[in-house]
């Protein structure tokens, strides 16, 4: 057993909230730069230049990349030989409150979905905890803006629809989203599992670096095919036309029931932020 | 590039066409979901609105908190369609312009022709860069809404695209068609 103080978790969460909101991940920046180089439509290329300049400005001036600093989505992988001294949930809450307050991030959370009073410190976070082997705690903060989150969709397909059904659903989602999610988007696609787990698969897919090679050749080619199809829609940056509608498609698949083919598309904008630390 | 200063007149609005690039300066007001609901509530109860809408521009935006020594935090547009249900009512009261991102509903597009108005798209996700185009920010109503309060901003050359004009023109449709034609 190894002791990990809840206060150290709070401190780390606070730091990761700020880091994620100020620094566009290197893989996303590289994807923007290569999309810019490949963009044949001049107005679209200009818009991509603005997004690249914005990421540089955010880093250099310590300003959030986007004003929607998101809901704080936190993934905690807790080693089963680690002993957290204090409450994990309370530490995450305190860390988010401190990070969003001291880091001058926007407080975008209301305490109740219908009565809608702002909680004032961006808590609560959305916390996903998983027990893993080992004695460490791995924390990832992935702030998620809602311009893109609102465009996300889930559908229970029937198995006969297969990969073609998944492709149709992904493309339909992108077309319905249109200009709303601030394209170029990044798509996290969950396939399989069941109703509640497929949405989490889609969210986890967004954590996969855009330049990470997908090991399974079947899904590697499905990701490439989807990316090409989405970039043939013509929606383009900001929905104003162009090739670059999407910077990357990431799929997470899981076992499912013989009667079922769940699919979820978590739409994200280019500001697909995440920062990780291990305690 | 067209330079424009608020307030907007019908004449200025009629000179703008979907796809035009504009640098906007002058006073605009932020209002998003909750502020729109409160404005509708004021109207239903016969109470005055916190802003006189005639000739004004509403920016659908909620900035990050203002850092010390700066006029404003990061600020960019939020998705306009969430305000669509309230927009025709505000246009009928003289609202002349809106800044946001994404397409508008057919009802808003019709109301913009009936009460000539312009809808600008700002670059979503470029909020750190666009903060430099705001020279002042002051909360004027509903401070309890936090990021959703109504704020008076002074803009200096905010780069915008005319996304929808008062003739029914739609820059999203035009841009996408133009691109697809260019690669056919």
């Amino acid at each position: 057993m190894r002791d990990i103080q809840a206060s150290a978790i709070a401190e780390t969460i606070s730091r990761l909230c700020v880091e994620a909101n100020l620094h566009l991940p290197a893989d996303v920046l590289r994807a923007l730069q290569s999309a810019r180089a490949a963009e044949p439509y001049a107005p679209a290329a200009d818009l991509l230049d603005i997004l690249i300049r914005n990421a540089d400005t955010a880093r250099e001036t310590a300003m959030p990349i986007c004003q929607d600093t998101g809901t704080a989505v936190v993934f905690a992988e807790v080693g089963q030989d680690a002993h957290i001294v204090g409450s994990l949930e309370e530490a995450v809450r305190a860390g988010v409150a401190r990070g969003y307050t001291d880091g001058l991030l926007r407080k975008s959370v209301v305490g109740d979905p219908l009565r809608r009073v702002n909680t004032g410190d961006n808590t609560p976070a959305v916390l996903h905890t998983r027990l893993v082997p080992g004695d460490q705690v791995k924390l990832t903060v992935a702030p998620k803006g809602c311009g893109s989150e609102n465009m996300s969709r889930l559908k229970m397909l029937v198995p006969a629809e297969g990969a073609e059904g998944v492709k149709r659903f992904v493309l339909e989602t992108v077309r319905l989203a249109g200009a709303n999610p601030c394209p170029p988007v990044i798509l996290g696609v969950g396939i399989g599992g069941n109703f509640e787990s497929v949405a989490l698969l889609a969210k986890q897919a967004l954590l996969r670096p855009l330049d990470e090679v997908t090991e399974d050749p079947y899904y590697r080619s499905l990701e490439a095919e989807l990316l090409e199809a989405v970039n043939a829609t013509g929606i383009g940056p900001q929905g104003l036309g162009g090739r670059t509608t999407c910077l990357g498609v990431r799929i997470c698949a899981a076992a499912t029931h013989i009667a079922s083919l769940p699919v979820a598309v978590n739409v994200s904008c280019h500001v697909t932020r995440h920062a990780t630390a291990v305690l | 590039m067209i330079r424009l200063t608020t307030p907007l007149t019908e004449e200025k609005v009629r000179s703008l066409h979907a796809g035009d690039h504009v640098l906007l300066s002058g006073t605009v007001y932020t209002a998003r979901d909750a502020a729109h609901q409160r404005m509708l509530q004021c109207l239903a109860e016969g109470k005055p609105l916190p802003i006189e809408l005639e000739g004004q521009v509403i920016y659908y935006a909620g900035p990050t908190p203002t850092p010390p020594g700066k006029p404003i935090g990061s600020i960019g547009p939020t998705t306009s369609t969430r305000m669509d249900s309230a927009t025709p009512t505000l246009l009928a009261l003289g609202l002349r312009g809106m800044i946001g991102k994404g397409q508008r509903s057919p009802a808003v597009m019709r109301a913009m022709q009936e009460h000539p108005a312009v809808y600008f798209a700002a670059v979503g996700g470029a909020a750190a860069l666009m903060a430099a185009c705001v020279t002042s920010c002051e909360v004027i109503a509903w401070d309890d809404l936090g990021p959703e309060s109504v704020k008076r901003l002074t803009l200096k050359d905010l780069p915008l695209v005319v996304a929808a004009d008062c003739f029914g023109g739609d820059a999203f449709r035009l841009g996408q068609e133009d691109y697809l034609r260019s690669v056919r």
Side-chain angles (χ1 to χ4, degrees):
Chain A
M1 275 303 210
R2 182 171 155 260
D3 280 354
I4 296 174
Q5 299 296 323
S7 57
I9 292 176
E11 192 47 49
T12 304
I13 293 286
S14 166
R15 178 172 61 78
L16 295 176
C17 288
V18 177
E19 189 182 313
N21 272 298
L22 267 43
H23 299 271
L24 193 66
D27 61 306
V28 179
L29 195 53
R30 280 194 297 269
L32 269 177
Q33 284 158 343
S34 28
R36 164 65 182 85
E39 177 59 62
Y41 191 55
D46 290 345
L47 285 166
L48 295 172
D49 279 336
I50 289 174
L51 298 182
I52 293 167
R53 258 170 47 220
N54 181 67
D56 295 341
T57 303
R59 197 177 44 248
E60 288 157 11
T61 62
M63 295 269 278
I65 306 160
C66 179
Q67 79 287 340
D68 187 351
T69 51
T71 305
V73 181
V74 177
F75 291 89
E77 289 181 18
V78 180
Q80 44 200 28
D81 296 324
H83 171 235
I84 295 170
V85 185
S87 156
L88 171 67
E89 288 192 12
E90 173 51 28
V92 169
R93 195 207 62 76
V96 167
R98 199 181 314 158
Y100 275 73
T101 305
D102 296 352
L104 296 177
L105 306 177
R106 198 179 75 181
K107 287 68 172 183
S108 309
V109 175
V110 292
D112 179 274
L114 294 177
R115 287 167 291 192
R116 307 197 75 83
V117 178
N118 197 302
T119 61
D121 60 8
N122 218 53
T123 65
V126 176
L127 173 62
H128 301 290
T129 308
R130 201 159 69 92
L131 272 181
V132 297
D135 62 1
Q136 297 179 320
V137 173
K138 183 180 176 188
L139 299 166
T140 298
V141 176
K144 186 68 168 70
C146 268
S148 56
E149 189 79 352
N150 281 346
M151 298 297 114
S152 304
R153 293 165 82 228
L154 188 158
K155 192 174 183 189
M156 306 303 282
L157 302 181
V158 298
E161 290 177 273
E164 284 309 311
V166 170
K167 279 186 240 168
R168 267 197 306 275
F169 183 67
V170 171
L171 273 175
E172 184 184 85
T173 301
V174 168
R175 286 186 197 282
L176 285 171
N180 287 346
C182 298
V185 295
I186 293 169
L187 299 175
V189 182
I191 307 174
N194 64 359
F195 182 75
E196 81 273 12
S197 67
V198 73
L200 186 56
L201 284 174
K203 183 72 77 191
Q204 284 164 334
L206 288 175
L207 295 178
R208 292 185 47 212
L210 293 174
D211 45 13
E212 177 190 276
V213 177
T214 303
E215 271 180 39
D216 183 335
Y218 179 82
Y219 285 108
R220 187 161 69 231
S221 101
L222 185 56
E223 287 174 343
E225 211 179 310
L226 280 168
L227 179 61
E228 198 182 322
V230 170
N231 281 336
T233 58
I235 293 169
Q238 303 293 318
L240 289 165
R243 177 182 180 277
T244 315
T245 302
C246 182
L247 296 174
V249 179
R250 305 272 65 180
I251 296 175
C252 283
T256 190
H257 189 277
I258 49 172
S260 205
L261 176 50
V263 55
V265 182
N266 198 183
V267 180
S268 192
C269 58
H270 87 280
V271 194
T272 295
R273 301 156 277 199
H274 40 86
T276 299
V278 178
L279 291 177
Chain B
M1 190 73 82
I2 300 163
R3 283 179 184 273
L4 265 186
T5 303
T6 61
L8 300 181
T9 58
E10 179 170 343
E11 189 191 354
K12 280 188 200 171
V13 162
R14 286 189 178 282
S15 73
L16 299 170
H17 295 88
D20 286 350
H21 287 255
V22 170
L23 293 174
L24 189 68
S25 297
T27 299
V28 301
Y29 297 90
T30 67
R32 37 176 297 152
D33 309 65
H36 275 75
Q37 290 312 308
R38 287 209 185 163
M39 285 195 276
L40 291 185
Q41 201 183 331
C42 283
L43 293 170
E45 293 169 1
K47 292 179 184 159
L49 296 180
I51 46 181
E52 179 60 56
L53 289 176
E54 185 63 45
Q56 298 303 330
V57 174
I58 289 181
Y59 188 0
Y60 304 135
T64 60
T66 304
K70 290 191 175 168
I72 197 166
S74 292
I75 179 165
T78 195
T79 313
S80 310
T81 187
R82 295 197 314 274
M83 271 54 77
D84 280 351
S85 59
T87 300
T89 306
L90 303 186
L91 290 171
L93 292 170
L95 178 68
R96 279 276 183 233
M98 298 149 285
I99 307 170
K101 65 172 168 100
Q103 273 151 304
R104 306 307 300 261
S105 69
V108 170
M109 298 290 280
R110 275 196 304 275
M112 287 175 56
Q113 294 174 65
E114 201 177 322
H115 312 281
V118 59
Y119 166 53
F120 301 106
V123 182
L129 206 55
M130 286 189 290
C133 304
V134 180
T135 58
S136 77
C137 169
E138 179 197 0
V139 176
I140 60 154
W142 302 328
D143 201 12
D144 62 299
L145 294 179
E148 295 198 82
S149 65
V150 175
K151 299 173 181 76
R152 183 190 290 123
L153 308 183
T154 312
L155 303 182
K156 174 70 181 155
D157 292 339
L158 181 68
L160 302 168
V161 172
V162 175
D165 59 32
C166 65
F167 311 103
D170 173 354
F172 299 107
R173 190 174 54 76
L174 294 173
Q176 292 176 22
E177 285 172 3
D178 186 47
Y179 164 71
L180 289 172
R181 254 195 318 273
S182 76
V183 291
R184 208 169 284 151

